[in-house]
Amino acid sequence: MKKLALLILTGISLTTAKAQFQFGAKAGINFNTLGGSDAGAAKNLVGVNLGFYARLPLQERLSLQPEMLYSTQGADYSNASVHLNYLNIPILLRYNAGAGFGIYTGPQIGFLLSAHNKANGNSINMKDYYKSGDFAWAVGLNYRIPETKLGIDARYNFGIANVEDREAFHRTGSVRTSSFQLGLTYL
């Protein structure tokens, strides 16, 4: 993980030596669920995301967009809900399509901050039952509102890695995160 962070910082340093970069903030709502063979009958759980991002120009229409986001994820079930809180770090490649539109895609690494199962008004700490990290892929579209610093952002994150500790749950299948995010950005 330290090597990946060093590689990212080196890339950012080399890029910013040549071009100006921009900073922004973002916040939004998440529509989350869990998928995979051991996810069961998971339903949408509404959550939030909040964080910061930077845009580092690579070419005229292409930029690198690293982000740092707090994100509440999980799923709702008929008699309980799973709440997973992550610090997500997506590294996105963004293409400026013109007329205020941008499209982007890239990997996302998530660090598990907390995990709880909630049922009948009780909350049980389940962090030891989940892996400390998550890996997902993000695909999104944003639109900058003309003559303002505000934008609208829509993104889908689909989990690639199994987030459950199979030994702790005594399972052999998989559980992956899935999240649709809709929010506002300020550049």
Side-chain angles (χ1 to χ4, degrees):
M1 194 60 68
K2 289 180 184 178
K3 289 180 183 179
L4 177 62
L6 183 60
L7 179 64
I8 291 168
L9 288 175
T10 302
I12 291 170
S13 297
L14 292 173
T15 303
T16 58
K18 196 173 186 181
Q20 290 289 337
F21 57 92
Q22 300 171 311
F23 287 103
K26 62 187 308 181
I29 190 167
N30 295 345
F31 300 95
N32 308 293
T33 191
L34 297 173
S37 59
D38 284 339
K43 300 176 193 168
N44 275 333
L45 178 71
V46 177
V48 297
N49 66 79
L50 175 67
F52 301 96
Y53 66 97
R55 282 207 188 127
L56 308 138
L58 300 174
Q59 293 181 349
E60 185 178 337
R61 291 186 172 255
L62 200 61
S63 59
L64 188 65
Q65 184 169 307
E67 300 180 354
M68 185 177 294
L69 303 169
Y70 171 77
S71 182
T72 59
Q73 297 172 213
D76 197 17
Y77 293 89
S78 58
N79 58 353
S81 58
V82 176
H83 297 261
L84 305 171
N85 298 314
Y86 284 96
L87 175 64
N88 287 328
I89 301 176
I91 306 295
L92 307 169
L93 188 61
R94 183 180 184 278
Y95 177 75
N96 180 2
F101 286 96
I103 56 175
Y104 56 83
T105 188
Q108 173 177 283
I109 299 170
F111 299 95
L112 184 65
L113 302 174
S114 67
H116 291 87
N117 280 5
K118 295 183 180 181
N120 302 323
N122 297 318
S123 179
I124 301 169
N125 184 352
M126 298 291 287
K127 190 171 181 184
D128 292 340
Y129 289 84
Y130 291 89
K131 294 183 178 178
S132 61
D134 184 22
F135 184 72
W137 196 266
V139 176
L141 170 71
N142 64 1
Y143 174 71
R144 186 167 177 193
I145 301 168
E147 299 181 24
T148 71
K149 295 183 179 191
L150 296 176
I152 300 169
D153 194 69
R155 173 183 305 179
Y156 182 71
N157 298 320
F158 53 94
I160 296 172
N162 182 29
V163 295
E164 277 190 341
D165 183 336
R166 291 179 185 171
E167 292 178 17
F169 276 105
H170 305 291
R171 296 181 182 168
T172 57
S174 65
V175 173
R176 293 179 306 280
T177 60
S178 173
S179 182
F180 174 74
Q181 299 176 334
L182 185 61
L184 294 175
T185 61
Y186 179 82
L187 186 65

